[in-house]
């Protein structure tokens, strides 16, 4: 029997798709006969007893501390065999890579994972490798950021250096707006990334690196809110022609290979511009926002985590060539105020093609501004037998939802 160590693999049911990722992965590993060693911080373990009871061993471990994870895993491996190491969270991928390397197990090179985790480092590395990237600067003050803005002109985007979920992302049109934007985006080290705005439709690419080769499983069309870039919709597969799909696929596959990534799922953002494909952020994990579930649905028979596990053990992995079904997610984003009435949600939740539906806005709920993916007010995910049906159906269902909000008095 093999043993899989999971770094940061617990999440309570209230986390929605994060919990589903963990549950799916545990089920697929268990179905392959693996022992499971589940680690996470105490709060996450306590919130997910239905997950911890599926594991053979459970331990408290801070997945954001790679050194602590390596020390714990090394000591554990002296007493128990470990065959594979996995992580599902953005902030756990460095620790997983370091642990796998320390134990001599298959995994992505830690230096490659660290490159991907720092947006400015990754962008400059991709530029050096010949991939189109926006102009950028890692800034240490609002003045530095404003100076860069004056140099490049036009619209710029200010964002945390290593964040996720669109937290802290700001669109800035004028240098005088930079003081507030920099304050919202700078990290604990006092730095923020400023880059030129890239126009054009936005996509993400979902896939798995198996046998050392990146394999694209789906291209996803993204809908985002203006200014904050909070994601409000995903449609899979993207309703674009084969030439555009092939161009996006080739750019992403080339970048992942050039960066030296060797194993596991990936989620890569990009834009399709008049000059070609421009890569955005790269992630060595599955996409959030139920994208993992959508990827499995559009590829019948696919087990994303089981396939990853098989690859880590050196087993052959058969992956689908292209999606044969459709999926779409739509998010509810509402203005600030107090909800007075909701109509149409029951029609969404009861639709036969719905896979999941959750609305946090009920009469009496006080709503706050949506400034990141973590602050949206609801979501539903649909799956359709025909790929082209998912997006239009999702839009039709969303159009039937009415949430009345009484504005907050200032």
């Amino acid at each position: 029997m093999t043993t899989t160590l999971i770094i940061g693999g617990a999440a309570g049911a209230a986390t929605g798709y994060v919990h589903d990722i963990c549950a799916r992965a545990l089920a697929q590993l268990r179905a392959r006969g693996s022992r499971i060693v589940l680690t996470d911080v105490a709060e996450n373990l306590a919130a997910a007893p239905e997950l911890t009871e599926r594991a053979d061993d459970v331990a408290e471990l801070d997945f954001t501390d790679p050194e602590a994870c390596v020390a714990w895993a090394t000591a554990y491996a002296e007493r128990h065999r470990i065959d594979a190491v996995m992580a599902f969270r953005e902030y756990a991928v460095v620790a997983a890579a370091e642990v796998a390397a320390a134990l001599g197990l298959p995994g992505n090179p830690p230096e490659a994972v660290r490159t991907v985790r720092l947006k400015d480092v990754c962008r400059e590395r991709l530029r050096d490798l010949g991939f189109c990237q926006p102009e950028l600067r890692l800034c240490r003050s609002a003045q530095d950021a404003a100076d860069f803005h004056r140099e490049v002109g036009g619209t710029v985007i200010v964002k945390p250096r290593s964040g996720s979920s669109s937290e802290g992302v700001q669109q800035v049109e004028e240098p005088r707006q930079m003081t507030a934007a920099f304050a919202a985006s700078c990290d604990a080290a006092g730095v923020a990334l400023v880059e030129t705005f890239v126009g054009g439709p936005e996509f993400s690419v979902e896939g798995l690196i198996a046998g050392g080769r990146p394999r694209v499983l789906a291209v996803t069309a993204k809908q985002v809110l203006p200014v904050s870039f909070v994601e409000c919709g995903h449609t899979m597969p993207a309703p674009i022609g084969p030439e555009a799909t092939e161009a996006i696929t080739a750019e992403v596959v080339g970048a992942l290979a050039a960066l030296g990534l060797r194993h596991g799922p990936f989620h890569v953002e990009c834009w399709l511009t008049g000059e070609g494909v421009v890569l955005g952020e790269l992630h060595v994990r599955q996409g959030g926002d139920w994208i993992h579930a959508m990827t499995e649905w559009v590829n019948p028979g696919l087990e994303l985590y089981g396939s990853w596990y098989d690859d880590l053990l050196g087993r052959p992995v058969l992956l689908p060539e292209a999606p044969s079904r459709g999926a779409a997610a739509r998010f509810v984003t509402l203005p600030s105020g107090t909800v007075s009435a909701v109509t149409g949600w029951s029609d969404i939740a009861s639709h036969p093609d719905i896979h999941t539906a959750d609305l946090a806005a009920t009469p009496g709920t006080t709503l706050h501004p949506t400034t990141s993916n973590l602050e949206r007010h609801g979501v539903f995910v649909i799956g359709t037998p025909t790929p082209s049906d998912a997006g239009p159906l999702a839009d039709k269902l969303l159009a039937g939802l009415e949430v009345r909000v009484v504005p907050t008095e200032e």
Side-chain angles (χ1 to χ4, degrees):
M1 177 178 287
T2 60
T3 297
T4 304
L5 170 61
I6 300 176
I7 307 291
T15 64
Y17 70 82
V18 183
H19 178 270
D20 190 73
I21 287 170
C22 299
R24 283 177 188 249
L26 293 177
Q28 291 173 20
L29 296 178
R30 181 65 76 200
R32 283 163 168 76
S34 179
R35 289 186 69 255
I36 296 172
V37 181
L38 183 64
T39 71
D40 211 315
V41 296
E43 178 183 1
N44 291 342
L45 293 172
E50 70 283 1
L51 298 180
T52 58
E53 68 184 15
R54 300 186 194 180
D56 298 279
D57 280 336
V58 177
E60 294 181 16
L61 192 59
D62 182 359
F63 56 81
T64 67
D65 186 343
E67 290 186 5
C69 290
V70 168
W72 184 90
T74 301
Y76 185 91
E78 291 177 354
R79 297 174 283 113
H80 307 280
R81 174 175 173 170
I82 297 176
D83 300 278
V85 181
M86 290 181 165
F88 317 131
R89 286 187 167 93
E90 179 73 19
Y91 297 105
V93 295
V94 171
E98 294 282 6
V99 168
L103 299 181
L105 297 174
N108 284 316
E111 62 274 16
V113 176
R114 291 184 183 277
T115 293
V116 170
R117 280 288 296 125
L118 295 176
K119 298 170 186 176
D120 57 310
V121 175
C122 188
R123 288 211 186 283
E124 294 297 358
R125 179 62 178 147
L126 287 171
R127 195 192 318 281
D128 291 343
L129 291 167
F131 295 91
C132 183
Q133 289 287 277
E135 295 298 319
L136 62 91
R137 178 179 293 173
L138 185 65
C139 299
R140 301 187 179 280
S141 69
Q143 184 61 54
D144 186 17
D147 290 344
F148 175 72
H149 190 185
R150 291 187 183 94
E151 289 176 22
V152 298
T155 302
V156 297
I157 305 302
V158 186
K159 61 177 67 174
R161 189 186 194 195
S162 60
S164 63
S165 300
S166 298
E167 288 187 286
V169 178
Q170 310 283 316
Q171 179 175 317
V172 176
E173 304 291 343
E174 301 289 341
R176 59 183 172 80
Q177 300 172 304
M178 191 59 74
T179 298
F182 184 86
S185 301
C186 68
D187 60 19
V191 299
L193 183 62
V194 185
E195 60 186 37
T196 51
F197 175 78
V198 179
E202 188 172 351
F203 303 89
S204 66
V205 180
E206 331 306 335
L208 183 72
I209 304 174
R213 185 164 67 97
R215 295 284 303 278
V216 170
L217 297 170
V219 176
T220 308
K222 301 166 72 70
Q223 299 173 2
V224 299
L225 297 179
V227 182
S228 69
F229 301 99
V230 170
E231 295 172 0
C232 56
H234 306 298
T235 301
M236 182 188 299
I240 55 178
E243 288 188 8
T245 299
E246 289 170 9
I248 291 171
T249 296
E251 195 78 356
V252 168
V253 168
L256 293 168
L259 289 169
L261 297 165
R262 302 170 184 165
H263 297 278
F266 59 83
H267 170 72
V268 180
E269 299 170 357
C270 65
W271 297 269
L272 193 56
T273 74
E275 289 72 43
V277 179
V278 178
L279 296 174
E281 296 172 12
L282 281 75
H283 304 277
V284 284
R285 56 159 173 81
Q286 72 290 305
D289 284 354
W290 296 96
I291 285 176
H292 71 288
M294 294 166 62
T295 303
E296 290 194 342
W297 167 260
V298 303
N299 293 288
L302 171 67
E303 291 190 338
L304 183 61
Y305 305 97
S307 297
W308 178 13
Y309 167 82
D310 288 340
D311 180 66
L312 290 175
L313 294 186
R315 299 171 179 172
V317 176
L318 296 177
L319 296 175
E321 293 298 325
S324 61
R325 298 193 291 203
R330 295 293 184 266
F331 296 86
V332 181
T333 57
L334 301 167
S336 300
T338 302
V339 177
S340 62
V342 177
T343 57
W345 183 254
S346 60
D347 293 334
I348 293 174
S350 62
H351 193 280
D353 289 326
I354 284 289
H355 287 207
T356 188
D358 181 60
L359 183 66
T362 56
T365 302
T366 299
L367 305 176
H368 302 286
T370 304
T371 59
S372 80
N373 290 354
L374 304 177
E375 298 167 329
R376 296 166 300 193
H377 305 112
V379 60
F380 65 87
V381 180
I382 64 166
T384 58
T386 303
S388 60
D389 289 348
L393 175 58
D395 291 336
K396 179 181 178 181
L397 291 173
L398 185 61
L401 174 65
E402 181 181 4
V403 181
R404 297 180 184 177
V405 179
V406 179
T408 302
E409 295 183 6
E410 297 185 0

